[in-house]
Amino acid sequence: MEIAPSRKALTHERIIDTAARAIRRAGFNGVGVADIMKEAGLTHGGFYAHFASRDALLAEALEHAGQQSASRIAKGNATRQARGASPFKALIEGYLSDRHLSGIENGCAVAALASEMPRQSPDVRAAASQRVRSLMALVERSLPAGAVPGSAAAIASQMVGALQLARALGDNTEGKALLAANRSALLAQHDVSPPA
């Protein structure tokens, strides 16, 4: 028999979910505790019943954002693979998609926050480093057999950089063209066609 989560656990989850979206949308320094609590429909005073500090919230929100992103990627990859895409093609087509370009609030935390990660507290940097490692591991798992050693890190870097540059150009023809060029380049260099 499953035990229903407590009211405190549900509130904690609501705060984390709100913070995970907020940091991807506005950056680590773009949101404060009061903003997150208000967006979650809670009072600022209740924050310390859930977190020891703002950094504790940010670290947990970053982990949650990574889990959300990984879940979305896995679901999209499964759909694309069911249609015949290789695991690598499925990953590249989803990550460098027009939908991901416009979905910063729900997308990859690494792409949304990479430039800010080094300037955070040690706890937040540790959570950020884990997100980067997780992304590289995801790429590694998707690569075809015989891939060049170390290529996962280079590919992950290109994926994140391409998404960041496309977002800098905007959710428009120019940004979408940049993503398309990177999709084509990565697939031409690293993908293998599935057996017929």
Side-chain angles (χ1 to χ4, degrees):
M1 177 187 270
E2 289 187 32
I3 298 173
S6 69
R7 183 179 185 148
K8 183 175 182 176
L10 291 172
T11 300
H12 186 90
E13 182 65 24
R14 188 165 78 209
I15 297 167
I16 290 297
D17 191 57
T18 301
R21 285 191 318 275
I23 62 173
R24 286 178 282 185
R25 179 181 62 239
F28 291 118
N29 295 325
V31 292
V33 169
D35 301 320
I36 291 169
M37 295 300 282
K38 182 178 179 181
E39 189 176 330
L42 302 164
T43 63
H44 181 244
F47 175 79
Y48 291 101
H50 295 275
F51 304 97
S53 67
R54 179 177 181 273
D55 284 344
L57 167 65
L58 294 177
E60 195 170 334
L62 187 55
E63 181 179 337
H64 185 72
Q67 292 168 351
Q68 287 177 320
S69 181
S71 177
R72 280 189 194 90
I73 288 171
K75 185 177 178 182
N77 287 356
T79 300
R80 285 183 286 282
Q81 287 178 51
R83 294 182 192 143
S86 69
F88 184 75
K89 184 175 184 178
L91 175 63
I92 296 302
E93 287 183 345
Y95 194 93
L96 297 178
S97 67
D98 294 350
R99 183 175 183 193
H100 201 188
L101 173 63
S102 64
I104 192 169
E105 185 174 285
N106 295 306
C108 175
V110 175
L113 298 163
S115 66
E116 296 181 48
M117 289 173 173
R119 292 184 292 278
Q120 300 308 306
S121 71
D123 289 343
V124 177
R125 281 196 321 265
S129 295
Q130 186 53 48
R131 297 284 47 88
V132 172
R133 287 185 203 98
S134 294
L135 178 60
M136 290 188 300
L138 175 65
V139 173
E140 183 76 40
R141 289 190 303 272
S142 76
L143 286 171
V148 175
S151 59
I155 293 165
S157 299
Q158 184 174 345
M159 291 165 54
V160 169
L163 187 57
Q164 289 178 320
L165 292 177
R167 285 176 174 164
L169 293 171
D171 185 6
N172 54 36
T173 304
E174 194 175 17
K176 291 174 183 178
L178 189 144
L179 287 183
N182 277 275
R183 278 193 310 268
S184 295
L186 284 167
L187 293 174
Q189 186 173 5
H190 301 285
D191 195 32
V192 294
S193 298

